[in-house]
Each structure stands twice: as structure tokens, then as C-alpha cells.
Amino acid sequence: MMNKSLNHSFYGQAQAQQRLAAKCSLISENRFCVEMSSFSNEAVRVFQTIPTRSYDPKTRNWNFHVKDYQLVVSKLRTLKDKLKVEQIPKYVLECVNQSQDEVFVDYNKLDPALSSALMPFQIEGLNFGIDKKGRCLIADDMGLGKTFQALAIADYYREDWPVLIATTATMKAVWEETIRTYLPSVPITQVQYMVSGRDYIGDSKVLIVSHDMMTRALDKLLQRSFGVFIVDESHVLKSFKTKCYKSALLLAKKARRVILLSGTPALSRPSELFTQLDLIDNKFFGSFYEFSTRYCDGKQTNFGWDASGKSNLQELEIVLAKKFMIRRTKEDVLKALPNKKQELITLDTKLEEFSETDRQCLVALGEKYNNQKKSSDKHAVLLTYFSETAKMKIPSFLHFTSAGKKVKFLVFAHHQVMLNAIEDIVRKKNLNYIRIDGNTTMDQRKYFINKFQYDDSYLCAVLSITAANVGITLTAANLVIFAELHWNPSIISQAEARAHRIGQENTVVVRYLIALHTADDLIWPKLQEKQETLKQVGLCRENFDRVEIKKQNKDVVLEGLDLNGSSSDIRAYFSPQKKRKREDKVEDVFDDGLDDILSEHVEIKEKEIFDDGMNDVLCDIDF
């Protein structure tokens, strides 16, 4: 009897293991596909009975019109002994099946000064916000006037005022100036910037706070009952762990209109979107578990719930566009904007130029990174490796000269040691320059920006990639140099947009300086992986695969003259010893975890001197 019972149990397990999986997901607003885990004659026979069937030989998937969804699922259920069907969530179907009524927009409700300043695509953004009843995410490219669109939506719903604007400390002056210029109907005395939790805010119609102040003065802000809530650079709320997100969620629940602004709503992975979407509609996805299971390949591991992956990104892109987000790139709306040319320069880094200790340190870090098994251990080593790389790249950077035609250029770096070295080089070349980093005050930033933009004698801007990648316009430059990389492609795109934006009249050349046998060998492929994932969800159109590759030449000119060299596959320049291996686990390729490490260790404090806490944080973290 026992043997029969065991045999029956084993037979049942074998049957369960033989069941195929059929995953349904949207591929457009009108069509969905069924992805089979393996070929099934029975399933094919079912598909062939559906009127709207179509077979894609590239993906080897069958797809159908959304109107036949229930028919397909019901027929597949007849194969339940052999097939397990993963259905499209109900909220997705309701989203795409919802009738699209034309929304009437009374533009007479807008302040005339603001209404007349809006460009056609910004009016489209206004219409989108009103169609979503003032709860939306404006994710346009950097430099396309998200501030104008947010203020237009807020102005349209003036009966719901007062307005709360949470932004970065550096953007405070931009918001104030825009409101003063384009909303003259709002008395300047009713536009207030909160600098202390003790400030009286009872008379303010528009209150501007930093993200940090929003957290520290939460109780006072909740008592004021803001009907319109604008969150600038909303990607800072990407983590559940931060007090900033928890504060924003409470304020969003009380507000009738919630407008989020970010040119980079997800810096690395799809899971970063959930907290922002939750502010707009905290009931749509149900929970983070449901969202991450569907779109982040969420799964239980020995270390807890892992939501660092990616899945069903095409469907997520459709849901975002239909329900939450409007996104346009500069190429979409600014046809006259000059091109952007990207070049990767492989520096002539010679390890023999360094001391034996330095060489051993660099080689040891590279080997240690490759030998680590745990992701957390890899992260810690990479942080140190990145810091050491900055020191090793400085001599190679010295090879640049300032001969030839002089044009304005921006130089971005991350570590203070590299920023200081660049500043020394520029000073020795007798070039007038500005420097903006985490220690630059808001007043200094404005003065430096004006100097660079309008004084022809100022040729160089030395910039921290984390302190100067948003909130400034430097279109006087048409050359952008990255002395160091950043592990997020979105951060790099933001930095490039300081020059490549509205007001630029010339082609912008962007150069990434890569040093072989350093952490650059690891960071560059990480950037490519992340960029590809963000492209799949509609949040990135850049393509580092098409970047022109050049070798450093001793006659390289910093100001933008032609370089000698030939294009090649980037992988040919990676060190064979440290060439990155693509592993099967998604998290090892895609989730580097560096952003979460930074968010856990950095506390942004409100003070007159703008210190975003990011400069040199990599080499300051004690692991």
C-alpha cells in the first residue's frame, strides 16, 4: 500500500513538472501575446481557432487582439492538466479597455503670461495632465520645460490651491523666477520658500520646500492641507526606505492633484518606478508585491524578496503611457535642435608610470572584484576600485593640450581628487573657468552660470557630476567631457543635457574618457546593460553601442578639434583579465545596488551651502 502511495505521489510530481507555462502579456494597446515555455501541439491548435491570431516567427509567439483575450484564456484552460496560464492582471486590461473621452480644456483659466509662453508640445503635456485629473508624471527629456507644464496644470486647478512644490535646493531659484515671470497674477508675497520648520506658512499660496524640509516639517505641511502637490526630480523618492518617500505619500493622499516631474524616473531598474506611481494612484497596482512580481521578475530568495530584475517591460511601457506618464525626447519635439555626437576616448594609461604599490593595489582590486561571489561584496570592492581609478586617470588627463581653436567646454568628474586635478590643469593653461560642486552655494551657482554663459573669456566649467547634473543651463558650451563615468546612464544623460537643450545652436560633442585596466572596464558594460533595460520600458533612447571609439593621441585637443583614431568594438579595448562575464542571474548583470548603498549612507541636510552629500561619497563610505 505504501509503495502504491509513493508511486502515485511521484507520478503526480512528474505530471506537475511536465506542465507547460503560457504567459500572456500586452505588446500594444490592442494586442497581446502568449509566450509558451515550450512547444505544444495542443496549444497551437487552440491558437489556430482564434479569429485575430497572428504568429511572429522572430519571437515564436502567437499574438491576438485584446477583444479575444477571454476567449483565448478560456480555451487554454481546457488544457489545465498540461498547461499553466499566467494571465494579464485585471488592472492592465481595465486600463487599455477604458474608453478615451475627449477632454475639453478651457485655456482661458490660465494666466495669460503663462498661456502665451507654452510651446505646442507643452500644451500637449497640459492636456495630458488635465485628462488625468491633475495626477500624472511628466517625464520629458531634460531641458523641455517640465516646470512650465507643471505650473500650467497647477494654474488650471487654482480652485484647489495652495500649492506645495518639493524640489532640490538648487532648483529653488528657478521655480521662484518662473512663477514671478509667468504667473504675475500670484502676488510675490504669497510665494514663499520654507527655510525652517518654524516658518509661518499660513498665508502662502505657493510654498516651495526642499525634499529634506518636506520631511522635517511634515506635520506643519499636513496641517496646511495643500490641494496641489508638485514633486520635482521625483526619482529621489525611488526607495521605500526613505523618510522622504513616506512624507510625500502622506502629502499626496491629502492632495487632489499630484504632479511628478523627472527626466529620469527610473535610474537603473523598473522597481524604482513603483513608489512614484504609488503617489499618483496608490490603488492601481494593489501592492509592491504584485507590481514587482509582474514587472520586476520578483521572487523569494534566501535573503528576502528580490525585485531587482525585469519582466513584461513592453506591457509596463503601455500602462505607463496610458495611465500615468507622458514622455517626449528632444528629438521628438525640437526638430531644429543640433545633433549630439558621442565619442569614447580610451586613455593611454600606463601602469609603469605609477609606483609598485599603486600598481599592485589596482591589480589586486580588479582580481578581488572578479573573485567575489556575493553582490554586496562586489559592490564594496567596486566602490574602492572606482575611487582608485580616479587617481590613476589623472596623468592620462594631463596629456590633453589647449592648442588650436578655443571653444567653451564642460568637464564632469565625481571624486574631489579628480575635480582638483582638472582645476589645476585648467589654471596652468591660463584659462578662465568656473567650478560647481557640492560646496558651491546657490548664489555662487547663479553667478558662475551667468559668467560662463555670457562672458566669452570663460572657456571651461569644472563640474561635479552629482552636484551639477540638474538645474543649470550651460548652452554656451558645445563640448562635454566626462573625466569619470557614473554607473547610471540617466545621470550621464542629465549631465549632457546641461549643454544639449533648448538654446543650443551648435552640434554638441560628448566625450567619455575611459582608462583600461581600471574600474572603467566594469562600469561601462554596466551602463550599457542598464541603458538597454530602460529603453525597453520607454525611459531611454540613448545607445552607447553606437558611440564612436577613439584612442587617445598625444595631439588631442581639449577644446574640440578632431582626434586621430579609428572606430572599433568597445569590447576590444577591455582588459582580457577583467573582461566582464555575463552571468545567468539578472541581478548580477543589471542590479549593481550602488544607488541603494548611497541612499542608505547619505543624509541630505538643509543649509545655505548646497551640499548634496554625494561628492566623494564613494570613497568615504566605510564598509
Side-chain angles (χ1 to χ4, degrees), residues 160-174:
D160 297 321
W161 284 27
V163 180
L164 175 64
I165 301 173
T167 185
T168 61
T170 57
M171 286 296 291
K172 169 246 183 185
V174 175

Side-chain angles (χ1 to χ4, degrees), residues 176-187:
E176 285 182 330
E177 184 176 348
T178 306
I179 293 170
R180 182 171 61 251
T181 305
Y182 296 101
L183 287 178
S185 58
V186 181

